[in-house]
Amino acid sequence: MTIKQQLQACRSKEETFKALVSLSKSLARLPAEEKTEEHKVKGCESAVWLIEQDIDGACYFKADSDAKLMRGVLVALLNLVNGKSKADIQAMDLANELAELNLGSYLTSSRSNGVLGILHAMQN
Amino acid sequence: MAFDPLSIRSQFPILAQQAYDNPLIYLDNAATTQKPLSVLEAMHNYYLTANANVHRGAHYLSDKATDQFENARLRVAQFINAPQQSQVIWTKGTTESINLVAYGLEHLIQAGDEILITSLEHHANLVPWQQLAFRTGARLRVLPLTSDAEWQEELTHYFTERTKIFAVTQVSNAIGVHTPIEMLIQQAKQHGAFTLVDGAQAVAHYPVDVAKLDCDFYVFSGHKMYGPTGIGVLYGKHHALEVLMPYQTGGEMVSKVSYQATEFNVLPYRLEAGTPHMEGAIGLAAACDFVDQQDRQSMLAWEQQLANHVWVTLQKAANVEIYSPEHNATLVSLSVPNVHTLDLNAYLDSQGIAVRAGSHCAQPLMAQLGVTGTLRASFACYNTLQEAERFCDVLIEAIDLLAEE
């Protein structure tokens, strides 16, 4: 099952929670030396670090968080954008894509988890 | 007689709903309480029968509105045992009350003066004083109060002849600890400092007697004591209110205006610029009625019993660090080693349980506790023992789901 299928199959908040916990395990954690202030995304109550790499014109992000569900959200987000060009990422409606993955509540409660800040950092 | 939350629960219809197919369990009462029907009806009736601008008394409705509005002031004065109703100033809430005092006293603060707060303060009782210190060259000092209430002997050293203001919370919003305010206020008074008590977390639970406390200022919000949002109170002793420079000016707070000069109105109006929050004040008076209609001693004992039940259950059953006292608190603030509080919060939410995760607007306190945040379950009179038990069960489930690796 793709990440999209996994998340779209969730029928309740509890199932989404469990799916994100499961997804979080596949995130490659960042070493301590890469978790710098510079890489920290502002506005997140859980700490989130995002590192952008350009490989032959394609964007690849590495990311980490101290909160498990956020790591699950990051897996879903990286899956959406990694390998695309910056212009393609900028053209995406990432908020809508997250809503389609049953992760809409992570946007409405953005004040506490700062997902909008992550989307902004990915597109700029 | 034991308090029965079910007898009043029907007055809070909002609690009867489902959250994601689970019965809603509302344990975020320290953030804001729900409102009984009597409060909603008081505000509704005001608009249905009495709405007009107050203090402009040239017609029937305006007289009616003014009467209800000023009676609300009297009701709040009785609620906190303020000697006179003119000692009750309406504000937006605790935060505005503290800012009003911080700006109002600025003309009396000089470089080198000291402003003393405690390590338990909410940002609302910290940042306004810090900014006042920045503006005046005064020094902000922090009295270290520990979470286990072992007040240090040397705390008297923090009160000096330079202490001009002492601002202290009555109950910590983040961890539920009580401060020994009577003793602290007496210390402050011996040094001639103005005293301000932040009662935001106290008024819903404990009978407040400002005359007995003998503080210069006492501040609280309506919405944390079953009243509406957007209304709060600054109580002050007359001489203390008189020295406050108005920090907002405009209509209602003046008695005579020309292009050359303005004469300010008398208290309480001098500190209430603009059209006030009339229905909020009337709703808050109804909230005072609601609280006073309860047997307050058994209501408080019930809330403390719920918090104690959670404290004891979790201490036994789970790997948790609890920052609240075992007894006499109405909330439980905790963290779980290696599990983020936001993750715990998300699982509780998925089961319909509302709590608060985060720093609780007390980041310096969190830093002292060595955490970025805690999970806080806070109780009100309408919470049941089943809800407290369900919270414990679901939290333990959440820890099991999140703690592996």
Side-chain angles (χ1 to χ4, degrees):
Chain A
M1 246 198 320
T2 64
I3 290 171
K4 189 172 180 173
Q5 287 166 335
Q6 253 174 290
L7 287 168
Q8 285 184 332
C10 296
R11 288 287 159 262
S12 69
K13 203 112 176 148
E14 181 179 342
E15 286 180 18
T16 302
F17 175 94
K18 288 178 175 165
L20 285 173
V21 168
S22 155
L23 279 182
S24 72
K25 291 167 189 162
S26 63
L27 186 73
R29 306 296 299 272
L30 291 179
E33 61 271 21
E34 290 190 325
K35 294 185 195 171
T36 60
E37 266 315 300
E38 180 202 350
H39 293 142
K40 217 168 177 176
V41 180
K42 302 243 175 341
C44 299
E45 196 159 322
S46 55
V48 173
W49 298 270
L50 188 69
I51 301 173
E52 184 172 347
Q53 296 164 303
D54 183 342
I55 301 172
D56 300 331
C59 284
Y60 287 89
F61 292 93
K62 296 192 290 184
D64 202 353
S65 170
D66 59 350
K68 192 171 275 192
L69 288 201
M70 183 57 82
R71 294 203 290 276
V73 173
L74 288 171
V75 169
L77 264 173
L78 298 190
N79 183 251
L80 285 173
V81 298
N82 271 355
K84 293 198 162 76
S85 72
K86 195 79 186 178
D88 284 348
I89 295 171
Q90 283 167 344
M92 291 171 81
D93 184 348
L94 287 172
N96 190 46
E97 304 246 7
L98 277 185
E100 281 181 15
L101 297 178
N102 278 328
L103 300 178
S105 66
Y106 286 86
L107 296 167
T108 52
S109 56
S110 59
R111 193 179 150 202
S112 56
N113 62 45
V115 170
L116 286 176
I118 301 171
L119 303 188
H120 183 80
M122 285 178 160
Q123 292 184 314
N124 289 284
Chain B
M1 198 186 78
F3 185 79
D4 178 15
L6 296 178
S7 68
I8 51 166
R9 223 174 140 89
S10 61
Q11 296 178 49
F12 296 86
I14 193 171
L15 298 171
Q17 65 189 295
Q18 301 284 108
Y20 323 115
D21 300 325
N22 295 290
L24 173 72
I25 297 179
Y26 187 78
L27 304 179
D28 195 15
N29 294 288
T32 197
T33 56
Q34 301 303 338
K35 324 303 173 194
L37 285 172
S38 59
V39 168
L40 305 181
E41 279 159 13
M43 293 194 289
H44 189 67
N45 285 339
Y46 168 77
Y47 279 120
L48 281 182
T49 63
N51 178 51
N53 209 330
V54 292
H55 304 137
R56 313 255 162 96
H59 56 76
Y60 173 78
L61 277 184
S62 180
D63 283 347
K64 204 168 169 181
T66 305
D67 274 355
Q68 292 188 11
F69 179 68
E70 290 302 328
N71 279 336
R73 197 191 300 273
L74 177 62
R75 182 68 190 86
V76 169
Q78 290 164 343
F79 186 72
I80 58 173
N81 196 30
Q84 291 173 25
Q85 69 192 87
S86 60
Q87 293 173 277
V88 170
I89 313 293
W90 300 118
T91 64
K92 285 191 295 189
T94 304
T95 299
E96 191 187 28
S97 297
I98 296 170
N99 275 280
L100 196 162
V101 176
Y103 279 97
L105 290 177
E106 183 168 337
H107 66 111
L108 299 175
I109 304 301
Q110 293 171 348
D113 286 347
E114 293 178 359
I115 301 166
L116 184 62
I117 61 171
T118 81
S119 56
L120 290 173
E121 302 311 318
H122 186 284
H123 293 162
N125 202 24
L126 186 170
V127 183
W129 305 117
Q130 179 192 59
Q131 298 301 311
L132 173 61
F134 288 158
R135 293 196 300 275
T136 57
R139 176 179 175 212
L140 181 73
R141 298 192 69 189
V142 184
L143 186 60
L145 296 180
T146 57
S147 60
D148 56 5
E150 282 172 7
W151 319 111
Q152 302 178 12
E153 272 299 303
E154 81 247 38
L155 67 80
T156 53
H157 299 317
Y158 283 84
F159 291 98
T160 74
E161 299 317 312
R162 314 222 71 166
T163 310
K164 288 291 179 298
I165 299 170
F166 174 57
V168 58
T169 190
Q170 190 168 1
V171 178
S172 155
N173 71 304
I175 57 175
V177 168
H178 288 242
T179 56
I181 43 171
E182 290 88 353
M183 180 267 280
L184 293 171
I185 288 167
Q186 288 316 310
Q187 285 283 343
K189 286 170 73 76
Q190 282 166 25
H191 293 87
F194 283 103
T195 51
L196 179 141
V197 176
D198 172 358
Q201 293 296 332
V203 279
H205 306 289
Y206 310 93
V208 171
D209 184 337
V210 291
K212 196 168 150 222
L213 275 179
D214 205 22
C215 51
D216 292 306
F217 302 105
Y218 190 94
V219 300
F220 61 98
S221 300
H223 74 95
K224 292 191 201 290
M225 54 162 285
Y226 309 103
T229 49
I231 188 78
V233 168
L234 163 64
Y235 154 84
K237 285 187 179 174
H238 254 294
H239 73 86
L241 291 173
E242 287 289 357
V243 299
L244 294 181
M245 287 290 283
Y247 95 121
Q248 289 191 341
T249 52
E252 295 258 357
M253 57 81 67
V254 295
S255 55
K256 198 173 168 192
V257 177
S258 71
Y259 287 121
Q260 287 72 38
T262 291
E263 206 172 279
F264 295 148
N265 203 341
V266 295
L267 288 170
Y269 315 112
R270 194 167 69 83
L271 297 171
E272 295 177 351
T275 296
H277 186 16
M278 282 103 62
E279 81 279 23
I282 287 159
L284 179 52
C288 294
D289 289 342
F290 168 78
V291 171
D292 277 343
Q293 277 156 17
Q294 315 308 320
D295 174 348
R296 294 205 68 177
Q297 216 179 340
S298 58
M299 179 166 91
L300 172 61
W302 176 252
E303 294 163 343
Q304 290 173 337
Q305 189 187 326
L306 294 177
N308 176 256
H309 179 84
V310 167
W311 197 100
V312 170
T313 305
L314 293 179
Q315 196 70 273
K316 268 193 231 147
N319 179 20
V320 295
E321 184 91 36
I322 302 182
Y323 305 102
S324 306
E326 180 178 0
H327 299 289
N328 301 324
T330 59
L331 61 83
V332 179
S333 192
L334 60 91
S335 68
V336 178
N338 302 318
V339 179
H340 205 286
T341 53
L342 288 177
D343 289 338
L344 297 170
N345 184 59
Y347 188 69
L348 287 158
D349 176 48
S350 77
Q351 305 300 310
I353 302 175
V355 294
R356 183 71 166 271
S359 67
H360 316 293
C361 296
Q363 288 172 13
L365 174 61
M366 294 295 124
Q368 285 167 59
L369 297 175
V371 292
T372 54
T374 70
L375 190 82
R376 180 187 71 188
S378 52
F379 297 92
C381 62
Y382 39 67
N383 290 125
T384 64
L385 187 60
Q386 286 83 347
E387 290 181 319
E389 285 168 346
R390 176 88 183 127
F391 165 74
C392 294
D393 291 347
V394 174
L395 183 70
I396 291 164
E397 270 172 42
I399 295 170
D400 286 345
L401 283 166
L402 290 159
E404 96 300 11
E405 265 180 308

